[in-house]
Amino acid sequence: MPGSHCDHLLISLPYLHGPDLEHCPLPDGHARILRALPVTAAEMAYRREHGHAALERLFDEHAIVPTGPRRPSVA
């Protein structure tokens, strides 16, 4: 998106909606629902160094809007 610093996608669990959204039963099996979160290169580097859970904590601490691709980096 023009003007966005978020030029990567992070695939993660749908924490905001809980486990009922992650596992979706279907008549012939199930689907696993994940979210694609727009993130910055700095946030991806932080994840590589500190781990996925640490990055998710930063997102929580900064109360990011997950759908806001023009948000500033938290890393």
Side-chain angles (χ1 to χ4, degrees):
M1 170 176 266
S4 174
H5 298 287
C6 298
D7 55 359
H8 291 70
L9 285 176
L10 177 69
I11 306 301
S12 67
L13 299 174
Y15 295 114
L16 300 175
H17 304 287
D20 289 340
L21 178 63
E22 179 186 352
H23 299 284
C24 180
L26 299 172
D28 293 327
H30 72 279
R32 186 170 184 209
I33 309 296
L34 301 172
R35 70 177 179 167
L37 179 66
V39 297
T40 68
E43 291 165 344
M44 289 302 286
Y46 183 91
R47 181 184 176 272
R48 282 190 290 279
E49 185 173 338
H50 302 283
H52 188 93
L55 179 58
E56 291 281 355
R57 280 192 299 275
L58 271 184
F59 291 154
D60 289 343
E61 290 168 12
H62 291 270
I64 69 160
V65 176
T67 57
R70 290 194 175 98
R71 65 174 178 76
S73 180
V74 299

